[in-house]
Amino acid sequence: MTEHPTSHEGRQPLAARSQERTRPRQQDAAPAASPATAAIPGPAAAPGPAPGPAAGPAGLDPQAAARREGDRLRFVGAATRRIARGIDLDEIVLGLCRASVPTFSDAILVYLRDPLPVGDERPVSPFVLRLRRSDRLRLSEEATDSSSETERLRLPVIDPHGDLTPAAELCEVRSGGALAEVLRGVRPVFGDSAAARAALPELLGAGRTVPTGHRAILAPLRGRRRVIGAAVFLRGTERPPFESNDLLVAAQLATHTALGIDKAVLYGREAYIADELQRTMLPDSLPQPTGVRLASRYLPAAETARVGGDWYDAIPLPGSRVALVVGDVMGHSMTSAAIMGQLRTTAQTLAQLDLPPQEVLHHLDEQAQRLGSDRMATCLYAVYDPVAHRITIANAGHPPPVLLHLGGRAEVLRVPPGAPIGVGGVDFEAVELDAPAGGTLLLYTDGLVESRLRDVWTGIEQLRERLAATARLTGPDHSPPLEALCDDVLDMLGPGDRDDDIALLAARFDGIAPSDVAYWHLEPEETAPGRARRLARRALSRWRLDDLSDSVELLISEVVTNAVRYAERPVTLRLLRTDVLRCEVGDDSPQLPRQRRARDMDEGGRGLFLVNRMARRWGATRLSTGKVVWFEMPSRGQ
């Protein structure tokens, strides 16, 4: 079908049609052609040879018939373009309604399958249709003054002054029923045909009728693989009834609408998958480890691709330390997101082994090579120790971090750049730096500082200046709030600066004061548990936590006894006082303790049972030099 360009969709207000009905007939118009018929575009011509003069409506000369055929073609072209403009399901259905009413019909009802099947997905049973949208011709103020005009426009199924959806909300299509047969036939049918007379009451509900005399069309909506709904077009008594060629127009509208709905449903599923990828591959929330506060942001390159190859992570480590990770896989496609998920999982696993940062990057490099020869990524891995107030950083081709000091000075840290992950055969180097209390470390991906309008080092300098300017607003004695700082950093992006995904991780170093830490070495002897109890009692007395003495001494005795049993080197005991009291016992045995249920006659096996019952939390972590078992007790007032 050839579409002729048009600057309008053939709509006319009701008042214009009322005036046209009172206009004298033109001399060249046949007596049978009413003005209302000429005001409404007719249907598109059927495929095949062009009809001759006799193929037009009765009483129309060839020129009038040709004009009507041109009107039909222009209407179908404009209507299908309007439907095709929709992206989501509601926009497509709305486009069908707006294109049909009032140009083609006075009212329309659109039913869709509930739920809509996606792609090759097998539809659920039973076959249920839900009224998705209805629309009808609304009267202008001039027309509402005439009661006779109102009566002529009132349709048996839709009241212009009443609810827009008086038809049944849900309809279950019975297998082998009249409605199922019409839907299976795919082709639109007139409402007064034998098939439609039996099918429409089933669709609209009992007691609801449609206008008689070819004033209703029931058009199935068939997608690529199955029927997904139905549309009912209705005309009032003031307009001519539908003609046979109007069935072709209804078929065109139904086909374009159904195909558009299929695409919208598939697009919605892809958007859902992208959202799920982002939700599962990026942390839902950041941990709150002792001595550091965290904030993060993630911005995709475009709303149509909501997840890409950038990621960030914060992983608690033994000894109240925390690993801070930011990485960037080449590209921002679904493939990049999948590779990112594998590398992030690998980094989490390596972090739990408490490997040095350079060793973590080395193993990530090997993993990237196993994934493929072209799997390239950059990554920055840092470990912060709040007790020592130090941070160890290793870099694999990533932009350097920026440290914002408490006084407002922003510093780009000098970290060996290294080669990207996936190159292979490259050694990575780690550097240990001071992490002053009150300082803020900003880790980011290159999408924040690099774009078509600026190179990466220009962007890093702008970021440094932005951080310093933000810190000056809060004064030299106060650090800017983390969340507000992240938002302010993202505000530096201009209209042309969003070429890539952006991952941002900010860490505020609070640290743990030396006065809140107690640390000892215990020889693996039988006297070690008793000495551990005495040392813990003195520390708790110094911290004025004597009310926890009995519980803490009992649990420390059990954990130290288990450590001495397997250790060959001195056992470490450390107490940390923060918002909770944390006890850590380390030894050189890699075997992790497991809680088991002791039998009545067993002499041992109840130590971890007591720890599990009395401690707020507890756990065990394997280290490269052995393991550490820890537990936490609530401080006073918790």
Side-chain angles (χ1 to χ4, degrees):
M1 178 181 297
T2 303
E3 296 185 1
H4 299 278
T6 179
S7 60
H8 60 85
E9 298 184 10
R11 297 190 177 187
Q12 291 187 353
L14 180 63
R17 293 208 306 271
S18 301
Q19 296 172 5
E20 192 171 341
R21 280 193 290 269
T22 62
R23 190 180 305 158
R25 305 299 296 266
Q26 301 295 328
Q27 296 299 324
D28 59 346
S34 67
T37 304
I40 301 173
L60 287 181
D61 59 23
Q63 291 183 354
R67 285 196 299 270
R68 293 194 61 183
E69 290 302 316
D71 289 341
R72 293 185 183 110
L73 289 173
R74 284 190 289 272
F75 165 70
V76 172
T80 53
R81 284 193 298 272
R82 179 157 193 165
I83 294 170
R85 283 200 299 264
I87 296 178
D88 61 19
L89 184 62
D90 291 331
E91 289 179 349
I92 294 171
V93 175
L94 178 62
L96 171 64
C97 295
R98 292 290 187 261
S100 303
V101 179
T103 310
F104 181 66
S105 62
D106 291 332
I108 185 174
L109 301 171
V110 182
Y111 285 83
L112 294 182
R113 196 162 188 160
D114 187 26
L116 277 169
V118 181
D120 295 328
E121 184 180 87
R122 188 173 183 178
V124 299
S125 296
F127 187 172
V128 176
L129 293 178
R130 178 183 292 274
L131 182 61
R132 185 77 184 192
R133 185 178 179 88
S134 65
D135 208 351
R136 52 136 171 96
L137 179 63
R138 291 166 175 80
L139 299 177
S140 62
E141 294 181 359
E142 295 83 357
T144 54
D145 295 337
S146 172
S147 59
S148 61
E149 182 74 12
T150 302
E151 290 299 324
R152 293 211 307 273
L153 284 175
R154 181 171 293 125
L155 301 175
V157 71
I158 294 188
D159 182 359
H161 301 296
D163 188 6
L164 290 178
T165 59
E169 184 74 18
L170 289 175
C171 165
E172 181 176 343
V173 181
R174 299 188 302 272
S175 178
L179 180 58
E181 291 299 322
V182 173
L183 297 179
R184 187 179 296 111
V186 178
R187 296 181 180 276
V189 295
F190 286 119
D192 57 355
S193 65
R197 282 200 302 269
L200 283 172
E202 182 180 347
L203 178 65
L204 303 178
R208 294 179 174 89
T209 59
V210 297
T212 58
H214 281 28
R215 298 186 181 278
I217 293 179
L218 172 59
L221 301 178
R222 179 176 176 82
R224 290 172 178 81
R225 294 174 177 84
R226 59 184 65 87
V227 173
I228 60 174
V232 181
F233 302 93
L234 301 167
R235 279 187 182 178
T237 56
E238 90 289 354
R239 295 175 65 170
F242 291 111
E243 301 174 0
S244 59
N245 283 345
D246 287 324
L247 295 177
L248 298 177
V249 175
Q252 288 279 350
L253 298 179
T255 299
H256 282 80
T257 301
L259 293 179
I261 290 173
D262 258 359
K263 292 179 181 179
V265 172
L266 288 173
Y267 173 80
R269 174 60 62 87
E270 290 182 357
Y272 170 78
I273 293 174
D275 287 341
E276 285 298 299
L277 276 173
Q278 182 178 15
R279 186 184 65 83
T280 56
M281 292 186 178
L282 295 176
D284 289 333
S285 60
L286 293 173
Q288 299 299 325
T290 303
V292 62
R293 285 173 286 168
L294 303 172
S296 64
R297 294 291 186 274
Y298 176 82
L299 291 180
E303 288 299 323
T304 54
R306 304 186 185 184
V307 69
D310 293 17
W311 90 92
Y312 62 89
D313 215 341
I315 309 167
L317 299 177
S320 298
R321 296 171 300 147
V322 60
L324 307 174
V325 192
V326 168
D328 182 5
V329 178
M330 285 194 313
H332 41 79
S333 62
M334 301 295 278
T335 301
S336 301
I339 298 172
M340 176 268 286
Q342 296 180 70
L343 293 180
R344 177 175 177 248
T345 302
T346 303
Q348 289 180 328
T349 304
L350 295 171
Q352 295 304 320
L353 299 177
D354 200 28
L355 298 177
Q358 65 271 22
E359 290 296 326
V360 172
L361 294 184
H362 174 73
H363 289 294
L364 283 176
D365 179 57
E366 293 180 337
Q367 174 67 10
Q369 294 179 68
R370 285 190 290 268
L371 294 176
S373 58
D374 58 344
R375 307 311 189 197
M376 305 284 290
T378 63
C379 183
L380 193 144
Y381 188 94
V383 176
Y384 170 63
D385 188 342
V387 177
H389 294 269
R390 304 282 287 178
I391 186 167
T392 305
I393 306 175
N395 191 3
H398 204 76
V402 179
L403 179 62
L404 179 62
H405 294 266
L406 182 60
R409 181 172 63 93
E411 174 189 6
V412 179
L413 298 182
R414 296 183 178 181
V415 180
I421 290 173
V423 172
V426 179
D427 292 332
F428 299 98
E429 183 180 353
V431 60
E432 187 174 351
L433 304 170
D434 288 330
T440 304
L441 184 69
L442 197 71
L443 309 180
Y444 53 92
T445 56
D446 58 357
L448 180 65
V449 294
E450 185 179 21
S451 69
R452 296 187 304 268
L453 305 179
R454 58 182 177 180
D455 62 84
V456 62
W457 289 108
T458 301
I460 291 175
E461 181 61 23
Q462 292 178 358
L463 173 62
R464 189 192 66 79
E465 293 174 354
R466 188 60 175 258
L467 289 174
T470 303
R472 285 194 294 269
L473 297 177
T474 58
D477 299 329
H478 298 86
S479 300
L482 271 185
E483 298 293 338
L485 181 65
C486 291
D487 293 336
D488 193 61
V489 166
L490 294 180
D491 286 342
M492 66 179 277
L493 298 172
D497 292 341
R498 289 288 304 281
D499 299 336
D500 198 359
D501 307 324
I502 297 175
L504 180 66
L505 179 62
R508 173 70 44 77
F509 299 142
D510 293 335
I512 299 177
S515 58
D516 292 329
V517 181
Y519 187 82
W520 305 278
H521 284 85
L522 305 173
E523 294 295 329
E525 302 171 349
E526 294 182 358
T527 59
R531 183 165 179 259
R533 290 194 297 269
R534 292 192 297 272
L535 294 173
R537 186 184 310 117
R538 294 173 187 170
L540 294 176
S541 177
R542 185 171 66 251
W543 292 335
R544 298 181 180 179
L545 296 176
D546 301 273
D547 53 335
L548 299 178
S549 235
D550 293 338
S551 301
V552 172
E553 287 183 40
L554 174 61
L555 300 186
I556 285 180
S557 179
E558 294 293 340
V559 176
V560 171
T561 299
N562 187 73
V564 168
R565 183 178 303 172
Y566 302 102
E568 297 180 358
R569 298 178 182 179
V571 175
T572 60
L573 172 62
R574 184 165 74 168
L575 297 180
L576 301 174
R577 182 187 63 167
T578 57
D579 53 341
V580 297
L581 179 67
R582 183 182 176 97
C583 174
E584 300 172 351
V585 177
D587 61 74
D588 60 348
S589 173
Q591 182 179 358
L592 297 180
R594 293 287 184 267
Q595 183 181 354
R596 63 183 180 87
R597 191 175 189 87
R599 293 172 296 184
D600 294 339
M601 302 302 294
D602 289 345
E603 296 183 359
R606 296 178 176 84
L608 289 182
F609 176 78
L610 292 175
V611 174
N612 185 62
R613 292 298 299 269
M614 299 179 63
R616 179 182 179 181
R617 291 194 311 153
W618 77 279
T621 305
R622 184 178 285 110
L623 307 177
S624 57
T625 58
K627 69 173 181 294
V628 60
V629 180
W630 57 270
F631 64 85
E632 292 177 352
M633 300 290 289
S635 298
R636 183 186 296 110
Q638 292 185 327

